[in-house]
Amino acid sequence: MPQTIAVLDFGSQYTQVIARRIRECQVYSKIYHHATSAAQLRADGVIGIILSGGPSSVFAKGAPMPDRAIFTLGVPVLGICYGLQLMGRLLGGRVGRSARREYGHGILHVKKPGRLFANLPKKLRVWNSHGDRLVRLPPGFSPIGTTENSEFAAIEDRRRNFYGIQFHPEVFHTERGTDIYKNFLLGVCGAKQDWTTRDFIRHAVEHIRQTVGPARVILGLSGGVDSSVAAALIHRAIGKQLTCVFVDNGLLRADERAQVESLYARNFHINLRVEDASALFLRRIRGVTDPERKRKIIGRTFVTVFEQSIKSAGRAEFLAQGTLYPDVIESVAIGNNPAALIKSHHNVGGLPARMRLKLLEPLRELFKDEVRAVGAALGLPREVVWRQPFPGPGLGVRVAGAITPERLTVLRRADAILHDEMMASGWYWKVWQSFCVYLPVKSVGVVGDERNYADVIALRLVESKDAMTADWTRLPYELLQKISTRITNEVRGVSRVVLDISSKPPATIEWE
């Protein structure tokens, strides 16, 4: 087993991103509950500890606390945001409430590079998200970086290899964030870069075989990256014990069902069953406008359809899903930690007891780029590995407001045009996601000499590495103009096209 860096989770929405950044450095990371004992960490052979951020204040009643003995293990510790404040308070410093909250971009002035900021610029653009700050250093610590609102934005105790930073290096918006982690992992902890995609596949295959044994597995196959990689990984482990089911929920993109059937008939030797449940899904979400209700109804209906599939396909003991880390962290807190719910995901949260099925989620601890790397290593074709993410609820969360057949038709046609132009220009392969959203508003336009009071389509084009943070894509104006012109000219019922230029955070990638 490779060396382990422990990430103690205090409920930050970015805890999983910290783990991802560590793996980008080819170092194995494992997320632990914030109160995991020092004895357990020692038994696991942990060589370094990172204390995550979190939504709590250190002054709050019941604020999550670590086992204080972690500071006596003799291994390096890095506290991030809330983690820095915890370190400062527990080791004899003082934390105070900021006169104003630091949220968003800030400038870090590096006063002393040391090991943490070795070979980095003296001025770094960083991402902040905190309301408290360290106002008195613990004994043994010295400041190594400042921001406008904090003279202790980065601190170190060189003798004990304890470090703290007030900003979030894991977030996409922080300049050279991965290099900061690499300096801590390699320069401070002395970690070996011994964690690779090949290692993950080997461990995952062994785990699947041990978990499943001779049992049969049913997997919901959407044709997207996540479920396809999950299917390929499970198939490598147990072969014919796997049956895949593709559900047409009536919320698919244009010609998607035919494309998935054709793709898997050509590239895979997996038992694939197709269930047309479009009428059932559309009937159940008719008139529903609240996005959380939509997701939950679609999720419950998905389970219902699977129950029927299981009965017709024969007895299975496991339901496999392509659940990823971002799905989990946005839906539920890992290990019952105090993370805030962002939105629920249809494939997170367990199964009804009546199904008597166990969940198999081999990708649950991976981010999208890791999943793509695994897919490529398994030999999946480019159109699968690099297919843009598509939400489980499908167009159900891309029609804002009530879903009707007419609105779905408008959205499908607009989205098909966007897809065609992105592919033709080569931009499809350069961005993380590009899709259309149907807005429940009308806008005045002119067609010929006549007034046209019709629908509005929003374009959402984003760049990202792991879907936890993202920025909007600066597409060439000429391409944007062509896409807009085609949609308004070719899609009957659309009078206007708008561009979403929101980043994540504060927005999410999907609108609902």
Side-chain angles (χ1 to χ4, degrees):
M1 196 64 186
Q3 294 177 327
T4 301
I5 298 294
V7 181
L8 299 193
D9 184 10
F10 292 90
S12 171
Q13 296 299 332
Y14 306 128
T15 297
Q16 316 308 317
V17 189
I18 296 174
R20 178 65 196 105
R21 295 294 174 258
I22 296 171
R23 294 180 205 166
E24 283 179 356
C25 302
Q26 291 185 290
V27 176
Y28 180 70
S29 61
K30 183 176 178 180
I31 295 173
Y32 291 82
H33 188 274
H34 63 268
T36 300
S37 70
Q40 181 63 60
L41 298 177
R42 182 187 295 110
D44 288 355
V46 165
I47 64 166
I49 298 171
I50 293 180
L51 310 179
S52 83
S56 299
S57 165
V58 293
F59 301 109
K61 183 179 180 180
M65 293 286 167
D67 177 0
R68 293 191 182 213
I70 63 172
F71 299 112
T72 64
L73 286 174
V75 301
V77 179
L78 171 64
I80 297 171
C81 196
Y82 179 80
L84 171 142
Q85 295 157 21
L86 274 179
M87 256 174 76
R89 197 171 194 196
L90 295 177
L91 296 179
R94 188 163 65 88
V95 176
R97 298 190 184 279
S98 299
R100 60 176 181 172
R101 186 184 181 196
E102 275 192 293
Y103 183 83
H105 287 293
I107 300 297
L108 177 77
H109 297 275
V110 178
K111 300 300 184 183
K112 181 182 177 184
R115 294 176 181 174
L116 197 62
F117 300 120
N119 302 314
L120 295 179
K122 293 185 177 180
K123 186 186 293 186
L124 291 169
R125 197 177 189 198
V126 299
W127 183 264
N128 295 299
S129 180
H130 60 93
D132 299 335
R133 63 191 179 98
L134 189 66
V135 295
R136 188 183 69 209
L137 287 175
F141 281 82
S142 59
I144 57 174
T146 64
T147 60
E148 180 183 358
N149 294 318
S150 177
E151 60 180 318
F152 304 131
I155 62 175
E156 72 170 1
D157 179 335
R158 184 70 177 264
R159 182 180 63 83
R160 291 182 290 180
N161 282 324
F162 291 168
Y163 294 83
I165 48 180
Q166 189 61 79
F167 59 92
H168 291 268
E170 67 273 10
V171 175
F172 180 75
H173 310 303
T174 291
E175 184 182 10
R176 304 291 292 272
T178 298
D179 289 328
I180 294 172
Y181 278 115
K182 187 174 290 185
N183 283 340
F184 177 71
L185 299 169
L186 308 185
V188 178
C189 299
K192 297 177 181 178
Q193 294 175 289
D194 57 358
W195 178 248
T196 66
T197 298
R198 183 179 300 176
D199 290 317
F200 171 79
I201 293 174
R202 178 168 53 84
H203 287 293
V205 167
E206 291 174 0
H207 178 73
I208 292 167
R209 287 173 180 165
Q210 292 173 1
T211 301
V212 173
R216 292 184 63 245
V217 177
I218 296 281
L219 180 141
L221 184 65
S222 68
V225 183
D226 307 339
S227 63
S228 296
V229 174
L233 189 60
I234 296 169
H235 189 254
R236 173 171 288 195
I238 61 173
K240 294 181 180 180
Q241 292 169 241
L242 173 67
T243 297
C244 293
V245 178
F246 176 78
V247 176
D248 183 350
N249 61 7
L251 302 168
L252 304 176
R253 291 168 290 194
D255 302 320
E256 191 159 12
R257 174 175 165 178
Q259 291 168 6
V260 169
E261 289 184 279
S262 173
L263 176 65
Y264 284 89
R266 185 175 69 251
N267 289 289
F268 299 95
H269 302 287
I270 296 175
N271 180 23
L272 175 64
R273 300 171 61 90
V274 176
E275 298 284 349
D276 184 356
S278 53
L280 176 64
F281 276 88
L282 294 179
R283 184 170 67 251
R284 289 189 174 182
I285 60 174
R286 183 183 300 144
V288 178
T289 59
D290 180 75
E292 271 300 294
R293 280 196 65 207
K294 284 185 192 177
R295 287 178 177 271
K296 291 183 184 302
I297 290 171
I298 292 169
R300 287 195 296 266
T301 306
F302 179 80
V303 172
T304 298
V305 172
F306 256 87
E307 286 184 292
Q308 297 170 348
S309 298
I310 292 166
K311 291 177 183 178
S312 61
R315 182 62 188 164
E317 292 185 26
F318 289 87
L319 174 62
Q321 297 182 151
T323 308
L324 306 189
Y325 252 165
D327 302 336
V328 175
I329 194 60
E330 289 189 339
S331 298
V332 293
I334 301 297
N336 297 315
N337 281 327
L341 170 68
I342 301 301
K343 60 187 177 184
S344 63
H345 290 258
H346 78 290
N347 57 343
V348 177
L351 300 169
R354 68 176 182 273
M355 290 187 69
R356 297 180 181 177
L357 283 175
K358 302 170 186 175
L359 274 179
L360 183 64
E361 298 172 314
L363 310 179
R364 190 180 176 89
E365 295 185 355
L366 296 187
F367 288 86
K368 184 72 75 172
D369 56 333
E370 288 184 299
V371 173
R372 294 190 197 281
V374 170
L378 290 170
L380 299 183
R382 185 188 188 210
E383 61 262 41
V384 173
V385 172
W386 290 100
R387 186 191 189 203
Q388 292 182 4
F390 186 60
L395 300 182
V397 291
R398 291 183 179 175
V399 172
I403 298 171
T404 66
E406 295 76 20
R407 289 180 171 185
L408 286 170
T409 297
V410 168
L411 180 57
R412 283 194 183 100
R413 290 174 178 170
D415 200 68
I417 290 171
L418 173 62
H419 181 269
D420 288 348
E421 293 300 331
M422 294 294 286
M423 291 292 284
S425 64
W427 272 90
Y428 180 89
W429 308 109
K430 299 177 184 178
V431 304
W432 177 265
Q433 260 176 296
S434 53
F435 58 89
C436 292
V437 180
Y438 178 98
L439 304 185
V441 295
K442 296 288 187 181
S443 175
V444 174
V446 177
V447 177
D449 294 324
E450 297 184 2
R451 179 178 184 272
N452 181 35
Y453 191 55
D455 301 326
V456 178
I457 292 292
L459 303 181
R460 183 63 162 148
L461 316 151
V462 299
E463 300 171 354
S464 183
K465 289 184 177 181
D466 47 37
M468 291 299 290
T469 60
D471 197 12
W472 62 282
T473 302
R474 279 67 169 171
L475 223 57
Y477 291 152
E478 295 79 8
L479 180 55
L480 284 172
Q481 181 181 35
K482 187 174 183 180
I483 292 167
S484 175
T485 300
R486 281 197 61 192
I487 290 175
T488 52
N489 284 346
E490 298 176 28
V491 183
R492 187 175 181 84
V494 175
S495 65
R496 192 179 300 268
V497 175
V498 298
L499 179 65
D500 180 350
I501 59 170
S502 306
S503 296
K504 177 183 180 179
T508 55
I509 294 177
E510 296 289 344
W511 276 50
E512 291 197 337

